[in-house]
Amino acid sequence: MSLYQVQKLIYQLNRDPRTRQRYADEIKNTPGLRDRIKGMLALEGERDPVPVIESLLNRADYVNSARERQGKPPLTLDQMLHGGFYGPINR
C-alpha cells in the first residue's frame, strides 16, 4: 500500500477534514510510520483495511480529545499503534 493509498483511506473516512489532514501529514512526515501502519493493516485487516484504519483514527480522536480535556499533549499514531491495543504489534 502506497502513501497515496493510505492517505486516500484517511480522506474517505473524512469525519473532520482538519483532524484527518493532521493524520495524513503525520504519516507523510514520520519516517517509517506508513510502513508500520501497513504492517498493522496486514495483521488486523488484510481483506478490508478501511474499518481497521478507521478504528485507529477514531481511537486516536477519542483518546486525544480526553487528553486535551486533561491538559495533556496528544498521542501520535505511532504511540497509538504501540500502546497495547493492537496485540500482534505489541508482542
Side-chain angles (χ1 to χ4, degrees):
M1 183 176 285
S2 69
L3 173 61
Y4 172 77
Q5 290 168 315
V6 171
Q7 287 175 326
K8 186 176 175 183
L9 281 174
I10 291 169
Y11 291 128
Q12 287 173 347
L13 303 172
N14 205 12
R15 288 183 141 183
D16 179 350
R18 294 165 302 196
T19 301
R20 300 306 191 202
Q21 182 61 50
R22 186 189 85 192
Y23 295 136
D25 291 344
E26 183 179 343
I27 290 167
K28 180 180 176 185
N29 296 324
T30 305
L33 179 57
R34 177 178 55 99
D35 292 332
R36 289 187 289 281
I37 290 174
K38 284 172 44 179
M40 182 270 296
L41 292 174
L43 291 169
E44 301 270 340
E46 187 173 347
R47 296 177 117 189
D48 187 6
V50 173
V52 178
I53 195 147
E54 182 176 20
S55 175
L56 170 64
L57 300 181
N58 288 343
R59 180 169 288 282
D61 286 344
Y62 177 79
V63 168
N64 285 330
S65 66
R67 290 177 65 82
E68 183 179 12
R69 288 191 300 275
Q70 297 168 358
K72 296 178 180 178
L75 296 178
T76 66
L77 291 177
D78 242 348
Q79 289 170 314
M80 294 299 298
L81 285 174
H82 297 284
F85 182 75
Y86 294 99
I89 290 177
N90 294 290
R91 290 185 188 146

Coordinates of all heavy atoms in Angstrom, one line a residue:
M1 N 0.8 -1.2 0.0 CA 0.0 0.0 0.0 C 0.9 1.2 0.0 O 1.8 1.4 0.8 CB -0.9 0.0 1.2 CG -1.9 1.1 1.3 SD -3.0 1.0 2.7 CE -4.1 -0.3 2.1
S2 N 0.7 2.1 -0.9 CA 1.5 3.3 -1.0 C 1.0 4.4 -0.1 O -0.1 4.3 0.5 CB 1.4 3.9 -2.5 OG 0.1 4.4 -2.7
L3 N 1.8 5.4 0.1 CA 1.5 6.6 0.9 C 0.2 7.2 0.4 O -0.8 7.5 1.2 CB 2.6 7.6 0.9 CG 2.3 9.0 1.6 CD1 2.0 8.7 3.1 CD2 3.4 9.9 1.4
Y4 N 0.0 7.3 -0.9 CA -1.2 7.8 -1.5 C -2.4 7.0 -1.1 O -3.5 7.5 -0.8 CB -1.1 7.8 -3.1 CG -2.4 8.2 -3.7 CD1 -2.8 9.5 -3.8 CD2 -3.1 7.2 -4.3 CE1 -4.0 9.8 -4.4 CE2 -4.3 7.5 -5.0 CZ -4.8 8.8 -5.0 OH -6.0 9.1 -5.6
Q5 N -2.3 5.7 -1.2 CA -3.4 4.8 -0.8 C -3.8 4.9 0.7 O -5.0 5.0 1.0 CB -3.1 3.3 -1.1 CG -3.0 3.0 -2.6 CD -2.4 1.7 -2.9 OE1 -1.4 1.3 -2.3 NE2 -3.1 0.9 -3.8
V6 N -2.8 5.1 1.5 CA -3.1 5.3 3.0 C -3.8 6.6 3.2 O -4.8 6.7 3.9 CB -1.8 5.2 3.8 CG1 -2.1 5.6 5.3 CG2 -1.2 3.8 3.8
Q7 N -3.3 7.6 2.5 CA -3.9 9.0 2.6 C -5.3 8.9 2.1 O -6.2 9.6 2.6 CB -3.0 10.0 2.0 CG -1.8 10.3 2.7 CD -0.9 11.3 2.0 OE1 -0.8 11.3 0.8 NE2 -0.2 12.1 2.8
K8 N -5.5 8.2 1.0 CA -6.8 8.1 0.4 C -7.8 7.5 1.3 O -9.0 7.9 1.5 CB -6.7 7.4 -0.9 CG -8.0 7.3 -1.7 CD -7.8 6.6 -3.0 CE -9.2 6.5 -3.7 NZ -9.1 5.7 -5.0
L9 N -7.4 6.4 2.0 CA -8.2 5.8 3.0 C -8.6 6.8 4.1 O -9.8 6.9 4.5 CB -7.5 4.6 3.7 CG -7.5 3.3 2.9 CD1 -6.6 2.3 3.7 CD2 -8.8 2.8 2.7
I10 N -7.7 7.6 4.5 CA -7.9 8.6 5.6 C -9.0 9.6 5.1 O -9.9 9.9 5.8 CB -6.6 9.3 6.0 CG1 -5.8 8.3 6.8 CG2 -7.0 10.5 6.9 CD1 -4.4 8.8 7.1
Y11 N -8.8 10.1 3.8 CA -9.7 11.1 3.3 C -11.1 10.5 3.1 O -12.1 11.2 3.2 CB -9.2 11.7 2.0 CG -8.0 12.5 2.2 CD1 -6.8 12.3 1.4 CD2 -8.0 13.6 3.1 CE1 -5.7 13.1 1.6 CE2 -6.9 14.4 3.3 CZ -5.8 14.2 2.5 OH -4.7 14.9 2.7
Q12 N -11.2 9.2 2.8 CA -12.5 8.6 2.6 C -13.3 8.6 3.9 O -14.5 8.6 3.9 CB -12.3 7.1 2.1 CG -11.9 7.0 0.7 CD -11.6 5.6 0.3 OE1 -11.5 4.7 1.1 NE2 -11.5 5.4 -1.0
L13 N -12.6 8.5 5.0 CA -13.3 8.5 6.3 C -13.7 9.9 6.7 O -14.6 10.0 7.5 CB -12.3 7.9 7.3 CG -11.8 6.5 6.9 CD1 -10.8 6.0 7.9 CD2 -13.0 5.5 6.9
N14 N -13.1 10.9 6.3 CA -13.4 12.3 6.3 C -14.4 12.8 7.3 O -15.4 13.5 6.9 CB -13.7 12.8 4.9 CG -13.4 14.2 4.8 OD1 -12.8 14.8 5.6 ND2 -13.8 14.8 3.7
R15 N -14.4 12.4 8.5 CA -15.3 12.9 9.5 C -15.0 14.4 9.8 O -15.9 15.2 9.7 CB -15.2 12.2 10.8 CG -15.7 10.8 10.8 CD -15.6 10.2 12.1 NE -16.8 9.4 12.3 CZ -17.1 8.8 13.4 NH1 -16.2 8.9 14.4 NH2 -18.2 8.1 13.6
D16 N -13.8 14.7 10.1 CA -13.4 16.1 10.3 C -12.2 16.3 9.5 O -11.1 15.8 9.9 CB -13.1 16.4 11.8 CG -12.7 17.8 12.1 OD1 -12.4 18.6 11.1 OD2 -12.6 18.2 13.2
P17 N -12.3 17.0 8.4 CA -11.1 17.1 7.4 C -9.9 17.7 8.1 O -8.8 17.2 7.8 CB -11.6 18.1 6.4 CG -13.1 18.0 6.5 CD -13.4 17.7 7.9
R18 N -10.0 18.5 9.1 CA -8.8 19.1 9.7 C -8.1 18.0 10.5 O -6.8 17.9 10.5 CB -9.1 20.3 10.6 CG -9.7 21.5 9.9 CD -10.3 22.4 10.8 NE -11.4 21.6 11.5 CZ -12.4 22.2 12.2 NH1 -12.4 23.5 12.3 NH2 -13.3 21.4 12.7
T19 N -8.8 17.2 11.2 CA -8.2 16.1 12.0 C -7.6 15.1 11.1 O -6.5 14.7 11.3 CB -9.3 15.5 12.9 OG1 -9.9 16.4 13.7 CG2 -8.7 14.4 13.7
R20 N -8.3 14.7 10.1 CA -7.8 13.7 9.2 C -6.6 14.2 8.4 O -5.7 13.5 8.2 CB -8.9 13.2 8.2 CG -10.1 12.6 8.8 CD -9.8 11.5 9.8 NE -11.0 10.8 10.2 CZ -11.1 10.1 11.2 NH1 -10.1 9.9 12.1 NH2 -12.2 9.4 11.5
Q21 N -6.6 15.5 8.1 CA -5.4 16.1 7.4 C -4.2 16.0 8.4 O -3.1 15.7 7.9 CB -5.6 17.5 7.0 CG -4.5 18.1 6.3 CD -4.1 17.4 5.0 OE1 -5.0 17.1 4.2 NE2 -2.9 17.0 4.8
R22 N -4.4 16.2 9.6 CA -3.3 16.1 10.6 C -2.7 14.7 10.6 O -1.5 14.5 10.6 CB -3.8 16.4 12.0 CG -2.7 16.5 13.1 CD -3.2 16.6 14.4 NE -3.5 15.3 14.9 CZ -4.2 14.9 15.9 NH1 -4.7 15.9 16.7 NH2 -4.4 13.7 16.3
Y23 N -3.6 13.7 10.5 CA -3.1 12.3 10.5 C -2.3 12.0 9.2 O -1.3 11.4 9.2 CB -4.2 11.3 10.7 CG -4.8 11.4 12.0 CD1 -6.2 11.3 12.2 CD2 -4.1 11.5 13.2 CE1 -6.8 11.4 13.4 CE2 -4.7 11.6 14.4 CZ -6.0 11.5 14.5 OH -6.6 11.6 15.8
A24 N -2.9 12.5 8.1 CA -2.2 12.4 6.8 C -0.8 13.0 6.8 O 0.1 12.4 6.3 CB -3.1 12.9 5.7
D25 N -0.8 14.2 7.4 CA 0.5 14.9 7.5 C 1.5 14.1 8.4 O 2.7 14.0 8.1 CB 0.4 16.3 8.0 CG -0.3 17.2 7.0 OD1 -0.4 16.9 5.8 OD2 -0.8 18.3 7.5
E26 N 1.0 13.6 9.5 CA 1.8 12.8 10.4 C 2.4 11.6 9.7 O 3.6 11.3 9.8 CB 1.0 12.4 11.6 CG 1.8 11.6 12.7 CD 1.0 11.3 13.9 OE1 -0.1 11.8 14.1 OE2 1.5 10.4 14.6
I27 N 1.6 10.9 8.9 CA 2.0 9.7 8.2 C 3.1 10.1 7.2 O 4.1 9.5 7.0 CB 0.8 9.0 7.5 CG1 0.0 8.4 8.6 CG2 1.3 8.0 6.5 CD1 -1.4 7.9 8.1
K28 N 2.8 11.2 6.5 CA 3.8 11.7 5.5 C 5.1 12.1 6.1 O 6.2 11.9 5.5 CB 3.1 12.9 4.7 CG 4.0 13.4 3.6 CD 3.3 14.6 2.9 CE 4.2 15.2 1.9 NZ 3.5 16.4 1.3
N29 N 5.1 12.7 7.2 CA 6.3 13.3 7.8 C 7.0 12.5 8.8 O 8.1 12.9 9.3 CB 5.9 14.7 8.4 CG 5.4 15.7 7.4 OD1 5.9 15.7 6.2 ND2 4.4 16.5 7.7
T30 N 6.5 11.3 9.2 CA 7.1 10.5 10.2 C 7.8 9.3 9.5 O 7.1 8.4 9.0 CB 6.1 10.0 11.2 OG1 5.5 11.1 11.8 CG2 6.8 9.2 12.3
P31 N 9.1 9.3 9.5 CA 9.8 8.2 8.8 C 9.3 6.8 9.3 O 9.3 6.6 10.5 CB 11.3 8.4 9.1 CG 11.4 9.8 9.4 CD 10.1 10.2 10.1
G32 N 8.9 5.9 8.4 CA 8.6 4.6 8.7 C 7.2 4.4 9.2 O 6.7 3.2 9.3
L33 N 6.4 5.4 9.5 CA 5.1 5.3 10.1 C 4.2 4.6 9.1 O 3.4 3.7 9.4 CB 4.5 6.6 10.5 CG 3.1 6.6 11.1 CD1 3.0 5.7 12.3 CD2 2.7 8.0 11.5
R34 N 4.3 5.0 7.8 CA 3.4 4.4 6.8 C 3.6 2.9 6.8 O 2.7 2.1 6.7 CB 3.7 5.0 5.4 CG 2.9 4.3 4.3 CD 3.2 5.0 3.0 NE 4.6 5.0 2.6 CZ 5.2 4.1 1.8 NH1 4.5 3.2 1.3 NH2 6.5 4.2 1.6
D35 N 4.9 2.4 6.8 CA 5.2 1.0 6.8 C 4.6 0.3 8.1 O 4.1 -0.8 8.0 CB 6.7 0.8 6.7 CG 7.2 1.2 5.3 OD1 6.4 1.1 4.4 OD2 8.4 1.5 5.2
R36 N 4.7 1.0 9.2 CA 4.2 0.4 10.4 C 2.6 0.3 10.4 O 2.1 -0.7 10.8 CB 4.6 1.2 11.7 CG 6.1 1.0 12.0 CD 6.5 1.7 13.2 NE 6.6 3.1 13.2 CZ 7.5 3.9 12.6 NH1 8.6 3.3 12.0 NH2 7.5 5.2 12.7
I37 N 2.0 1.3 9.8 CA 0.5 1.2 9.6 C 0.2 0.1 8.6 O -0.8 -0.7 8.8 CB 0.0 2.6 9.2 CG1 0.0 3.6 10.3 CG2 -1.5 2.4 8.7 CD1 -0.4 5.0 10.0
K38 N 1.0 0.0 7.5 CA 0.7 -1.1 6.6 C 0.9 -2.4 7.3 O 0.1 -3.4 7.0 CB 1.7 -1.0 5.4 CG 1.4 0.1 4.4 CD 2.4 0.4 3.4 CE 3.1 -0.8 2.8 NZ 4.1 -0.5 1.8
G39 N 1.9 -2.6 8.1 CA 2.0 -3.8 8.9 C 0.8 -4.1 9.8 O 0.4 -5.3 9.8
M40 N 0.3 -3.1 10.4 CA -0.8 -3.3 11.3 C -2.0 -3.7 10.4 O -2.8 -4.6 10.8 CB -1.1 -2.0 12.1 CG -2.3 -2.1 13.0 SD -3.9 -1.7 12.3 CE -3.7 0.0 11.9
L41 N -2.2 -3.1 9.3 CA -3.3 -3.4 8.4 C -3.2 -4.8 7.9 O -4.2 -5.5 7.8 CB -3.4 -2.4 7.2 CG -3.8 -1.0 7.6 CD1 -3.6 -0.1 6.4 CD2 -5.2 -0.9 8.2
A42 N -2.0 -5.3 7.6 CA -1.8 -6.7 7.2 C -2.2 -7.7 8.3 O -2.7 -8.7 8.0 CB -0.3 -6.9 6.7
L43 N -1.8 -7.3 9.5 CA -2.1 -8.2 10.6 C -3.6 -8.2 11.0 O -4.2 -9.2 11.4 CB -1.3 -7.8 11.8 CG 0.2 -8.1 11.7 CD1 0.9 -7.5 12.9 CD2 0.5 -9.6 11.7
E44 N -4.2 -7.0 11.0 CA -5.6 -6.8 11.5 C -6.7 -6.8 10.5 O -7.8 -7.1 10.8 CB -5.6 -5.5 12.3 CG -4.6 -5.4 13.4 CD -5.2 -5.9 14.7 OE1 -6.4 -6.0 14.8 OE2 -4.4 -6.2 15.6
G45 N -6.4 -6.4 9.2 CA -7.5 -6.3 8.3 C -7.0 -6.4 6.8 O -7.3 -5.5 6.0
E46 N -6.3 -7.5 6.5 CA -5.8 -7.7 5.2 C -6.9 -7.6 4.1 O -6.7 -7.1 3.1 CB -5.0 -9.0 5.2 CG -4.3 -9.2 3.9 CD -3.4 -10.5 4.0 OE1 -3.2 -11.0 5.1 OE2 -3.0 -10.9 2.9
R47 N -8.0 -8.2 4.4 CA -9.1 -8.3 3.4 C -9.8 -6.9 3.2 O -10.2 -6.6 2.1 CB -10.1 -9.3 3.8 CG -9.6 -10.7 3.9 CD -10.6 -11.6 4.3 NE -10.8 -12.6 3.3 CZ -11.8 -13.4 3.3 NH1 -12.6 -13.5 4.3 NH2 -11.9 -14.3 2.3
D48 N -10.0 -6.1 4.3 CA -10.6 -4.9 4.1 C -10.0 -3.9 5.1 O -10.4 -3.8 6.3 CB -12.1 -5.0 4.4 CG -12.9 -3.7 4.2 OD1 -12.3 -2.7 3.7 OD2 -14.1 -3.7 4.5
P49 N -9.0 -3.1 4.7 CA -8.3 -2.2 5.6 C -9.1 -1.0 6.1 O -8.7 -0.4 7.1 CB -7.1 -1.8 4.8 CG -7.5 -1.9 3.4 CD -8.5 -3.0 3.3
V50 N -10.2 -0.6 5.4 CA -10.9 0.6 5.7 C -11.4 0.6 7.2 O -11.1 1.6 7.9 CB -12.0 0.9 4.7 CG1 -12.8 2.1 5.2 CG2 -11.4 1.2 3.4
P51 N -12.1 -0.4 7.6 CA -12.6 -0.4 9.0 C -11.4 -0.4 10.1 O -11.5 0.2 11.1 CB -13.4 -1.6 9.2 CG -13.5 -2.3 7.9 CD -12.6 -1.6 7.0
V52 N -10.3 -1.0 9.7 CA -9.2 -1.1 10.6 C -8.5 0.3 10.8 O -8.3 0.7 11.9 CB -8.1 -2.1 10.1 CG1 -6.9 -2.2 11.1 CG2 -8.8 -3.5 10.0
I53 N -8.3 1.0 9.7 CA -7.7 2.3 9.8 C -8.7 3.3 10.4 O -8.3 4.2 11.1 CB -7.1 2.8 8.5 CG1 -6.1 4.0 8.8 CG2 -8.1 3.2 7.5 CD1 -5.0 4.1 7.9
E54 N -9.9 3.1 10.1 CA -11.0 4.0 10.7 C -11.0 3.8 12.2 O -11.1 4.8 13.0 CB -12.3 3.7 10.1 CG -13.4 4.6 10.7 CD -14.8 4.3 10.1 OE1 -15.0 3.2 9.5 OE2 -15.6 5.2 10.2
S55 N -10.8 2.6 12.7 CA -10.7 2.3 14.1 C -9.5 3.0 14.7 O -9.7 3.6 15.8 CB -10.7 0.8 14.3 OG -10.5 0.5 15.7
L56 N -8.4 2.9 14.1 CA -7.2 3.6 14.6 C -7.4 5.1 14.7 O -7.1 5.7 15.7 CB -6.0 3.3 13.7 CG -4.7 4.1 13.9 CD1 -4.1 3.7 15.3 CD2 -3.7 3.8 12.8
L57 N -8.0 5.7 13.7 CA -8.1 7.1 13.7 C -9.2 7.5 14.7 O -9.1 8.5 15.4 CB -8.5 7.6 12.3 CG -7.4 7.3 11.2 CD1 -7.8 7.9 9.9 CD2 -6.0 7.9 11.6
N58 N -10.3 6.8 14.7 CA -11.4 7.1 15.7 C -10.8 6.9 17.1 O -11.1 7.7 18.0 CB -12.6 6.2 15.5 CG -13.3 6.5 14.3 OD1 -13.2 7.6 13.7 ND2 -14.2 5.6 13.8
R59 N -10.0 5.9 17.4 CA -9.5 5.7 18.7 C -8.5 6.8 19.0 O -8.5 7.3 20.2 CB -8.7 4.3 18.7 CG -8.1 4.0 20.1 CD -7.6 2.6 20.1 NE -8.7 1.7 20.2 CZ -9.4 1.4 21.3 NH1 -9.0 2.0 22.4 NH2 -10.3 0.6 21.3
A60 N -7.7 7.3 18.1 CA -6.8 8.4 18.3 C -7.6 9.7 18.6 O -7.3 10.4 19.5 CB -5.9 8.6 17.1
D61 N -8.7 9.9 17.9 CA -9.6 11.0 18.1 C -10.1 11.0 19.6 O -10.1 12.0 20.3 CB -10.7 11.1 17.2 CG -10.3 11.5 15.8 OD1 -9.2 12.1 15.6 OD2 -11.2 11.3 14.8
Y62 N -10.6 9.8 19.9 CA -11.3 9.7 21.3 C -10.2 9.9 22.4 O -10.5 10.7 23.3 CB -11.9 8.3 21.4 CG -12.5 8.0 22.7 CD1 -13.7 8.5 23.1 CD2 -11.8 7.2 23.6 CE1 -14.3 8.3 24.3 CE2 -12.4 7.0 24.9 CZ -13.6 7.5 25.2 OH -14.1 7.2 26.4
V63 N -9.1 9.2 22.3 CA -8.1 9.3 23.3 C -7.5 10.7 23.4 O -7.4 11.3 24.5 CB -6.9 8.3 23.0 CG1 -5.7 8.6 23.9 CG2 -7.4 6.9 23.2
N64 N -7.3 11.3 22.2 CA -6.7 12.7 22.3 C -7.7 13.8 22.7 O -7.3 14.8 23.3 CB -6.1 13.0 20.9 CG -4.8 12.3 20.7 OD1 -4.1 12.0 21.7 ND2 -4.5 11.9 19.5
S65 N -9.0 13.6 22.5 CA -10.0 14.5 23.0 C -10.0 14.5 24.5 O -10.1 15.5 25.2 CB -11.3 14.3 22.4 OG -11.9 13.1 22.8
A66 N -9.9 13.3 25.1 CA -9.8 13.1 26.5 C -8.5 13.7 27.1 O -8.6 14.4 28.1 CB -9.9 11.6 26.9
R67 N -7.4 13.5 26.4 CA -6.1 14.0 26.8 C -6.2 15.6 26.8 O -5.6 16.2 27.6 CB -5.0 13.5 26.0 CG -4.7 12.0 26.2 CD -3.6 11.5 25.3 NE -2.3 12.1 25.6 CZ -1.5 11.7 26.6 NH1 -1.8 10.7 27.4 NH2 -0.4 12.4 26.8
E68 N -6.8 16.1 25.7 CA -6.9 17.6 25.6 C -7.7 18.2 26.8 O -7.3 19.2 27.4 CB -7.6 17.9 24.3 CG -7.7 19.4 24.1 CD -8.4 19.8 22.8 OE1 -9.0 18.9 22.1 OE2 -8.3 21.0 22.4
R69 N -8.8 17.5 27.2 CA -9.6 18.0 28.4 C -8.8 17.9 29.6 O -9.0 18.7 30.6 CB -10.8 17.1 28.5 CG -11.9 17.4 27.5 CD -13.2 16.8 27.8 NE -13.2 15.3 27.9 CZ -13.3 14.5 26.9 NH1 -13.4 14.9 25.7 NH2 -13.2 13.2 27.1
Q70 N -7.8 17.0 29.7 CA -6.9 16.9 30.9 C -5.7 17.8 30.8 O -4.9 17.7 31.7 CB -6.5 15.4 31.0 CG -7.6 14.5 31.3 CD -7.2 13.0 31.2 OE1 -6.1 12.7 30.8 NE2 -8.1 12.1 31.4
G71 N -5.6 18.5 29.7 CA -4.4 19.4 29.5 C -3.1 18.6 29.1 O -2.0 19.1 29.3
K72 N -3.3 17.4 28.6 CA -2.2 16.6 28.2 C -2.0 16.7 26.7 O -2.9 17.0 25.9 CB -2.4 15.1 28.5 CG -2.5 14.9 30.0 CD -2.8 13.4 30.3 CE -2.8 13.1 31.7 NZ -3.2 11.7 32.0
P73 N -0.7 16.5 26.2 CA -0.5 16.6 24.7 C -1.1 15.4 24.0 O -1.2 14.3 24.7 CB 1.0 16.6 24.6 CG 1.5 15.9 25.9 CD 0.5 16.3 27.0
P74 N -1.4 15.5 22.8 CA -2.0 14.4 22.0 C -0.9 13.2 21.8 O 0.3 13.5 21.8 CB -2.4 15.0 20.7 CG -1.5 16.2 20.5 CD -1.2 16.7 21.9
L75 N -1.4 12.0 21.7 CA -0.6 10.9 21.3 C -0.5 10.8 19.8 O -1.4 11.2 19.1 CB -1.2 9.6 21.8 CG -1.3 9.4 23.3 CD1 -2.0 8.1 23.7 CD2 0.0 9.5 24.0
T76 N 0.7 10.4 19.3 CA 0.9 10.2 17.9 C 0.3 8.9 17.5 O -0.1 8.0 18.3 CB 2.4 10.2 17.6 OG1 3.0 9.1 18.2 CG2 3.1 11.5 18.1
L77 N 0.1 8.8 16.2 CA -0.3 7.5 15.6 C 0.6 6.3 16.0 O 0.2 5.2 16.3 CB -0.5 7.5 14.1 CG -1.7 8.4 13.7 CD1 -1.8 8.5 12.1 CD2 -3.0 8.0 14.2
D78 N 1.9 6.6 16.0 CA 2.9 5.6 16.4 C 2.6 5.2 17.9 O 2.7 4.0 18.2 CB 4.3 6.2 16.3 CG 5.2 5.4 15.3 OD1 4.8 4.3 14.9 OD2 6.3 6.0 15.0
Q79 N 2.4 6.1 18.7 CA 2.1 5.8 20.1 C 0.8 5.0 20.2 O 0.7 4.1 21.1 CB 2.0 7.1 21.0 CG 3.4 7.8 21.2 CD 3.2 9.1 21.8 OE1 2.4 9.9 21.4 NE2 4.1 9.4 22.8
M80 N -0.2 5.3 19.4 CA -1.4 4.6 19.4 C -1.2 3.1 18.9 O -1.7 2.2 19.5 CB -2.5 5.2 18.5 CG -2.9 6.6 19.0 SD -3.7 6.6 20.6 CE -5.1 5.6 20.3
L81 N -0.4 3.0 17.9 CA -0.1 1.6 17.4 C 0.6 0.8 18.5 O 0.4 -0.4 18.5 CB 0.8 1.7 16.2 CG 0.2 2.1 14.9 CD1 1.3 2.3 13.8 CD2 -0.9 1.2 14.4
H82 N 1.5 1.4 19.2 CA 2.3 0.6 20.2 C 1.9 0.8 21.6 O 2.6 0.4 22.5 CB 3.8 1.0 20.0 CG 4.3 0.7 18.6 ND1 4.6 -0.6 18.3 CD2 4.5 1.4 17.5 CE1 5.0 -0.6 17.0 NE2 5.0 0.6 16.6
G83 N 0.7 1.3 21.8 CA 0.2 1.5 23.2 C -0.5 0.3 23.8 O -1.0 0.4 24.9
G84 N -0.5 -0.9 23.1 CA -1.1 -2.0 23.7 C -2.4 -2.5 23.1 O -2.8 -3.7 23.3
F85 N -3.1 -1.7 22.4 CA -4.4 -2.1 21.8 C -4.2 -3.0 20.7 O -5.0 -4.0 20.6 CB -5.1 -0.8 21.3 CG -6.5 -1.1 20.8 CD1 -7.5 -1.5 21.7 CD2 -6.7 -1.1 19.4 CE1 -8.8 -1.8 21.2 CE2 -8.0 -1.4 18.9 CZ -9.0 -1.7 19.8
Y86 N -3.2 -2.9 19.8 CA -3.0 -3.7 18.7 C -2.1 -4.9 19.1 O -0.9 -4.8 18.9 CB -2.5 -2.9 17.5 CG -3.5 -2.0 17.0 CD1 -3.5 -0.6 17.3 CD2 -4.6 -2.4 16.2 CE1 -4.4 0.3 16.9 CE2 -5.5 -1.5 15.8 CZ -5.4 -0.2 16.1 OH -6.4 0.7 15.7
G87 N -2.7 -5.9 19.6 CA -1.9 -7.1 20.2 C -0.8 -7.6 19.3 O 0.3 -7.7 19.8
P88 N -1.0 -8.0 18.1 CA 0.1 -8.6 17.3 C 1.3 -7.7 17.2 O 2.4 -8.2 17.1 CB -0.5 -8.8 15.9 CG -2.0 -8.9 16.2 CD -2.3 -8.0 17.3
I89 N 1.1 -6.4 17.2 CA 2.3 -5.5 17.0 C 3.0 -5.4 18.4 O 4.3 -5.3 18.4 CB 1.8 -4.0 16.7 CG1 1.3 -4.0 15.2 CG2 2.9 -3.0 16.9 CD1 0.7 -2.7 14.8
N90 N 2.3 -5.6 19.5 CA 2.9 -5.4 20.8 C 3.5 -6.6 21.4 O 3.9 -6.6 22.5 CB 1.9 -4.7 21.7 CG 1.6 -3.3 21.3 OD1 2.4 -2.4 21.3 ND2 0.4 -3.1 20.7
R91 N 3.6 -7.7 20.6 CA 4.1 -9.0 21.2 C 5.6 -9.0 20.9 O 6.2 -8.5 20.1 CB 3.4 -10.1 20.5 CG 2.0 -10.2 21.0 CD 1.3 -11.5 20.5 NE -0.1 -11.3 20.9 CZ -1.1 -11.7 20.2 NH1 -0.9 -12.4 19.1 NH2 -2.3 -11.5 20.6

